[in-house]
Amino acid sequence: MNGRRHYAGGDLARALTIEDLRHMARRRLPRFLFEYVDGGAEDEVTLHRNRHAFANLALVPSTLVDVSNRSLAVDLFGRSVAAPLVVAPTGFNGLLSERADVALARAAARAGVPFTLSMASNVPLEEVASEAGGRLWMQLYWVRDRDFIRRLVARAQAASFEALVLTTDVQVSGGREWDRRNYRAGMALTLRNRLDVLAHPRWLWRIARHGGLPRFANLRELAPPDAATVVDDMVALGRNMDPSVNWEHLKWLRSLWPGRLLVKGVLSAADARSAIGHGADGVILSNHGGRQLDGAVSPLEVLPAIRDALGPEAVILLDGGVRRGVDVVKARALGATAVMTGRNGLYGVAAGGESGAARALEILRQEIDRALALLGTPDIETVDARVLHRRANSQSPATTSPLLEGVI
């Protein structure tokens, strides 16, 4: 042991990395809840593959370049964003911190980047819009009740949400086995986890003070009239998820929604072309953070082929495995318009509410800025595959994929 350890105290200013915020969150959250945020599906092969894909790429800096003035701004749907970041949709955030959805949205607005609200949020979309402002996107799961979809889309339009994000990779729930091991049956925690909750009195007091676990604020219409708890909401959502969703449904959604439309869950060039062909304005390469199909490819691995298929002007976002600013730079070099970040903000909001969420985005911004300076490429818009080198001796699962074939 070398004695090194990540900071896990209460001073957000001392959190130097996302990993520090992760340790702070782990200390503050009950075990079952941290597992929900942090874990992946089955053997977590895909969860780790997402990180390996970034680790397998090295950067080749240029020297004696004037980097005294640097720019992180990129164009996204015709408007400038302060950095190539978008806060990804994540559900049940109210478990982590009070009104966490608003906190994350406010942090994004302060950072000058878009925020995506999950359909499974704990704060109504109208309140997020009025209390946070900024560039707001709305995420949608496909459910059987088409009238509900119509109403939700109309609500998002009325609240001036800029974009709609259709998540397509949750036809059924992934096998999150480590998460499920925290429960005896249903939502009943094991004895060990009940005792662990008691060891986190601040979290328990906050939940009790607000009358129990927060409900899904935008899904009440799907639940039966006698639904009284979030468990009832979860059961109703599960029963309404529609595994028959297909490209014709995307065309119908396009007819309802006048704003920007993105398809999340794309991992092949063929699907990317189909998404654009059926009316999407952009695609989000995602394996759901390794929480759905274990063994799926990493979004970074398929990014070059999808960029080649869609052309230089297409909006292509990517999520999964991003923990450092250099990861964002690598994704940009391979053709991503911007990167979505989910868990990073959750670690921050769990560690310190809105200030913690802002700290997470600021850490990433600082790391991107520093990477551009040290890379000798002061404008992120000019970063491309010429700055990349694939490590020849990598032993990770990602090495079997032609990550940079035809790119470098």
Side-chain angles (χ1 to χ4, degrees), residues 159-303:
S160 299
F161 276 67
E162 173 188 7
L164 198 65
V165 175
L166 176 64
T167 296
T168 62
D169 57 2
V170 190
Q171 306 94 324
V172 297
S173 295
R176 300 167 199 171
E177 297 159 0
W178 290 107
D179 187 16
R180 285 160 49 193
R181 286 187 176 100
N182 291 303
Y183 305 90
R184 291 185 292 108
M187 290 290 290
L189 290 172
T190 63
L191 176 60
R192 180 186 180 192
N193 278 285
R194 290 183 182 187
L195 294 174
D196 182 68
V197 168
L198 294 176
H200 293 80
R202 289 187 180 181
W203 181 88
L204 186 60
W205 176 82
R206 181 179 65 80
I207 294 297
R209 182 164 62 96
H210 292 282
L213 300 179
R215 297 187 63 183
F216 293 146
N218 295 302
L219 299 177
R220 295 289 183 86
E221 297 175 61
L222 289 178
D226 60 346
T229 69
V230 70
V231 175
D232 297 329
D233 295 343
M234 294 173 69
V235 170
L237 177 60
R239 289 175 177 170
N240 272 279
M241 294 296 287
D242 188 354
S244 74
V245 59
N246 58 58
W247 295 112
E248 291 304 310
H249 295 123
L250 177 61
K251 286 176 61 177
W252 180 76
L253 185 62
R254 174 75 283 177
S255 71
L256 292 182
W257 176 252
R260 300 294 186 175
L261 177 62
L262 297 102
V263 176
K264 183 175 183 287
V266 171
L267 286 173
S268 74
D271 280 351
R273 284 191 291 262
S274 290
I276 301 301
H278 285 82
D281 298 294
V283 295
I284 302 169
L285 313 187
S286 174
N287 55 34
H288 217 93
R291 294 165 68 84
Q292 283 296 101
L293 175 64
D294 200 26
V297 295
S298 163
L300 192 72
E301 293 176 277
V302 298
L303 172 58

Side-chain angles (χ1 to χ4, degrees), residues 269-349:
D271 280 351
R273 284 191 291 262
S274 290
I276 301 301
H278 285 82
D281 298 294
V283 295
I284 302 169
L285 313 187
S286 174
N287 55 34
H288 217 93
R291 294 165 68 84
Q292 283 296 101
L293 175 64
D294 200 26
V297 295
S298 163
L300 192 72
E301 293 176 277
V302 298
L303 172 58
I306 293 175
R307 172 53 73 192
D308 184 61
L310 297 188
E313 302 302 318
V315 172
I316 303 175
L317 277 65
L318 170 151
D319 71 8
V322 176
R323 290 295 179 272
R324 288 281 192 175
V326 292
D327 299 332
V328 179
V329 173
K330 291 174 182 179
R332 279 286 305 185
L334 284 181
T337 308
V339 165
M340 273 192 153
T341 171
R343 285 185 177 96
N344 299 330
L346 298 186
Y347 297 143
V349 82

Side-chain angles (χ1 to χ4, degrees), residues 29-38 92 95-96 182 203:
L29 297 177
R31 181 187 297 109
F32 83 94
L33 184 50
F34 184 78
E35 179 63 51
Y36 165 74
V37 172
D38 201 58
F92 224 165
L95 283 177
L96 309 180
N182 291 303
W203 181 88

